[in-house]
Amino acid sequence: MSYLVLARKYRPQTFADLVGQEHVTRTLTNAIALGRIAHGYLFTGTRGVGKTTVARIFAKSLNCEAAQGPTATPCGQCPSCKEIAASASPDVFEIDAASNTGVDDVRELRENVKYLPARGRYKVYIIDEVHMLSKSAFNALLKTLEEPPPHVVFIFATTEPHRIPETVLSRTQQYEFKMIGLAPIAAYLQKLMDAEGVAVPRDVLMLVARKAAGSVRDGLSYMDQVLSYGPDRPLAEIADVLGVVDRQALLDISAAVLKAEPVALLDVLQRMGAANWDVKDFLADLLEHFRNLVAVKVARQPELLIDAGQAELAALAAQVKDTALETLEHLFFLLADSEELVLRSGQPRLVLEMTLVRLAQGAKVTSLDNLVARIAEWKSGLEAGGPGPAARPFESRPLPPRPGEKPPVAPEAPAAKPAAEAGDPLADPAAALAAALLRQRPTLAKVLDGHAVKLAGERLTISLPKGYPHRSFELELEFVTGVARELFGPRVTVALEAVEGPGGANSVQDQMNARRAAQERTKTVQRETMNHPAVQWLKEIFPEAEISVKVKEPAETAEPE
Ligand SMILES: [Zn+2]
């Protein structure tokens, strides 16, 4: 008997079988019940989230012979349902646009569209990766979409809706498929393993669900890998097979970083066999982990922001208990800034390792302002006979809003430029964007200051110097896009362009000059800081203390207001 991979064995056959995407299936089943069948549908979303699966179930719904008309619950038993399940229906055409991009393919399709279905009620054309069609192919397709024969339904699926012409978009109903959460994927895997009668430890299921990164299909194929390797093997081995970093490893790394123990950190990396990991994935996991440390520090309900179980949330919270928010943010951005350096290096692993060592040193350095403020507070507390600084928790700042949420408006934001505020934002897109950012995210407004903003059609291009400025917008792209859409229209897309900044590193000589200048600047700032009254005062209080000054890059020191 041949072995059937999980993804094929358990391919959902009805809307009820699907994991996630309830918002899509509810709307579709309602439309079917009301008999409102459109001629064009567009399913968007990343790969493996169920677009073509839903398309196939929808095709069954339209043609199921057990019902008098389209039905939200296709029987799965009639010849039509069975043929569609076996991809053998004469009325359902699955076309991969990636390999049929030309106008000839579409012309053939248009010929074919004219004829009535062989036996079903509808002819259904499922065109996957539709954005791959050439411009002329789209134009040819458009003619059919404008006057579709009554028996034809098109279902387009794409991972890149922005590459589809407006004329086609406007003739389709659009459904956005979401990434599926960790918990639903884990629960689904559990259900399947129960059905298979295989015992898989919870840790292993969670590891697979995490590696699936929102895609059920990927989750199933990773599960296949684990089943053939042996789900009862040690977790670290399975993590190695899947090429993922297990969460405990990430916690061990951040523990070493936060305790500022570079040597312990290197031990951890070696013990975990970091040499075998894919550097890019490892870095992505690390970034997410350090972001989670920030989130658990500031959020009232971290479980809404972090895809993790209770035990892991507790471990994260315990780890950041004694660490200032500033330090965590600083560590995150150090890591984020290293990304380009790591990925462009010929020895990415070594660069990443050294980045982590630098992080472990960075954790030791708290910001001077923070230190001075806390000591002042402690001192006044002593004088007043009140409690010391330990009684006062760190002030926490809200996290950036999640996609879809309205960004919080800063209460004391400086007044925006009235010209841009009152006028039509389209008249001066740059000023309008600057004013809106100043209100909602002053740090970004500061970074944007003086750089080019162009609005062409529905595409807003922001040119920023490489490195921190570009990176900070990249990290906030979703937020910036939200702001841009409120100003310039709901379909606006934001493109970030990285340009060589002033004094940009164009040549080796330039780089050396820039580095020398930076070193000079650093020395000056260090000298000035050591002579600062606050530091002199610190020396008086702590005569034994060794005080070091770490200087951030100029752009990094920009603070809101
Ligand atoms: Zn049927």
Side-chain angles (χ1 to χ4, degrees):
M1 205 161 64
S2 71
Y3 172 69
L4 204 54
V5 295
L6 291 170
R8 283 187 52 202
K9 187 167 174 185
Y10 291 98
R11 178 176 292 161
Q13 301 297 339
T14 66
F15 287 120
D17 289 345
L18 280 163
V19 187
Q21 317 303 0
E22 286 83 3
H23 60 295
V24 170
T25 53
R26 202 180 312 121
T27 321
L28 277 179
T29 49
N30 283 344
I32 294 168
L34 295 168
R36 277 213 272 268
I37 311 295
H39 289 290
Y41 293 87
L42 177 67
F43 293 172
T44 67
T46 49
R47 52 181 295 280
V49 291
K51 299 188 296 295
T52 48
T53 303
V54 170
R56 279 190 210 114
I57 298 173
F58 190 46
K60 277 193 218 167
S61 295
L62 292 175
N63 281 344
C64 178
E65 292 167 15
Q68 293 304 309
T71 168
T73 50
C75 72
Q77 305 300 324
C78 70
S80 170
C81 283
K82 281 187 167 165
E83 280 167 0
I84 294 172
S87 299
S89 166
D91 295 325
V92 177
F93 305 86
E94 286 192 39
I95 300 157
D96 177 12
S99 47
N100 302 277
T101 57
V103 67
D104 287 344
D105 298 305
V106 173
R107 204 167 285 146
E108 197 184 311
L109 185 151
R110 286 181 55 203
E111 279 303 305
N112 183 306
V113 158
K114 289 182 204 155
Y115 305 107
L116 287 174
R119 74 132 158 277
R121 289 180 281 266
Y122 288 93
K123 272 186 146 168
V124 183
Y125 293 85
I126 301 171
I127 306 186
D128 200 9
E129 298 299 341
V130 68
H131 61 268
M132 300 290 281
L133 289 182
S134 66
K135 195 160 176 259
S136 48
F138 266 125
N139 283 336
L141 188 61
L142 191 61
K143 294 204 179 109
T144 307
L145 276 177
E146 277 166 346
E147 287 171 37
H151 59 268
V152 167
V153 172
F154 284 102
I155 306 173
F156 304 127
T158 181
T159 48
E160 300 183 37
H162 58 275
R163 285 173 60 186
I164 295 173
E166 181 60 32
T167 44
V168 172
L169 286 179
S170 66
R171 285 177 173 78
T172 57
Q173 282 187 12
Q174 288 160 39
Y175 291 86
E176 193 184 329
F177 284 59
K178 299 198 164 83
M179 303 259 275
I180 300 158
L182 186 68
I185 293 185
Y188 182 64
L189 292 173
Q190 181 72 66
K191 199 172 95 184
L192 260 49
M193 291 305 101
D194 290 348
E196 291 278 301
V198 183
V200 177
R202 183 81 191 146
D203 286 352
V204 174
L205 276 182
M206 290 301 279
L207 195 69
V208 172
R210 204 180 297 282
K211 172 77 179 173
S215 157
V216 173
R217 188 173 65 207
D218 287 353
L220 293 180
S221 74
Y222 293 129
M223 201 69 229
D224 280 324
Q225 274 184 46
V226 170
L227 290 182
S228 52
Y229 181 75
D232 45 0
R233 302 292 272 273
L235 189 65
E237 268 182 37
I238 293 176
D240 209 31
V241 167
L242 290 176
V244 291
V245 183
D246 83 73
R247 307 306 275 186
Q248 189 53 50
L250 292 171
L251 282 166
D252 289 348
I253 290 173
S254 55
V257 166
L258 293 175
K259 282 189 229 147
E261 291 172 349
V263 180
L265 175 81
L266 290 174
D267 282 349
V268 173
L269 288 176
Q270 202 200 352
R271 195 176 64 233
M272 295 181 315
N276 299 321
W277 294 341
D278 176 86
V279 174
K280 196 165 175 239
D281 290 349
F282 182 33
L283 186 58
D285 285 343
L286 274 172
L287 271 172
E288 192 194 348
H289 180 67
F290 277 89
R291 174 264 185 201
N292 288 349
L293 289 172
V294 174
V296 83
K297 184 87 192 172
V298 296
R300 288 218 189 98
Q301 290 178 286
E303 64 276 13
L304 299 180
L305 295 164
I306 303 171
D307 227 354
Q310 284 303 322
E312 195 190 331
L313 283 174
L316 287 168
Q319 212 164 67
V320 299
K321 194 161 57 72
D322 298 323
T323 309
L325 177 60
E326 290 85 345
T327 307
L328 295 171
E329 286 176 341
H330 180 58
L331 291 173
F332 175 84
F333 281 108
L334 274 180
L335 196 59
D337 284 347
S338 76
E339 191 176 8
E340 208 189 335
L341 194 68
V342 170
L343 298 181
R344 280 168 71 186
S345 162
Q347 298 291 341
R349 202 174 311 281
L350 299 183
V351 177
L352 180 55
E353 227 171 71
M354 285 308 112
T355 301
L356 285 170
V357 169
R358 206 175 82 185
L359 245 54
Q361 290 165 334
K364 229 186 291 188
V365 188
T366 330
S367 85
L368 187 63
D369 289 347
N370 190 30
L371 185 63
V372 171
R374 298 199 74 194
I375 289 173
E377 206 178 324
W378 171 71
K379 196 161 167 265
S380 68
L382 277 188
E383 282 162 6
R392 178 177 167 271
F394 276 103
E395 210 177 301
S396 63
R397 264 177 265 155
L399 271 192
R402 310 177 75 199
E405 273 178 14
K406 262 207 160 323
V409 176
E412 290 170 283
K417 284 176 210 153
E421 187 73 336
D424 175 9
L426 294 170
D428 188 350
L433 182 67
L437 285 180
L438 194 60
R439 259 178 289 128
Q440 302 180 16
R441 199 67 61 81
T443 329
L444 286 180
K446 227 171 246 187
V447 172
L448 181 68
D449 191 30
H451 297 298
V453 176
K454 273 192 312 243
L455 182 67
E458 297 195 314
R459 186 181 168 88
L460 186 76
T461 307
I462 305 177
S463 307
L464 291 159
K466 276 183 186 165
Y468 179 80
H470 182 256
R471 181 76 199 149
S472 57
F473 266 69
E474 208 171 53
L475 286 169
E476 300 272 11
L477 186 58
E478 222 155 4
F479 171 75
V480 175
T481 305
V483 172
R485 285 185 178 164
E486 272 179 23
L487 290 171
F488 312 121
R491 288 189 189 281
V492 166
T493 56
V494 175
L496 297 179
E497 194 181 58
V499 295
E500 295 293 347
N506 292 319
S507 67
V508 176
Q509 188 58 44
D510 285 351
Q511 282 181 25
M512 282 169 59
N513 289 342
R515 202 171 304 146
R516 248 198 303 277
Q519 280 166 355
E520 280 308 314
R521 220 163 35 231
T522 302
K523 276 187 197 147
T524 311
V525 174
Q526 277 172 331
R527 216 170 33 240
E528 286 172 1
T529 310
M530 289 308 279
N531 292 330
H532 191 281
V535 176
Q536 296 299 328
W537 178 65
L538 271 177
K539 280 182 179 165
E540 277 174 37
I541 303 178
F542 301 115
E544 306 294 331
E546 200 175 289
I547 297 177
S548 72
V549 178
K550 181 174 180 294
V551 182
K552 294 180 182 179
E553 286 304 305
E556 276 183 51
T557 56
E559 291 287 341
E561 277 137 71

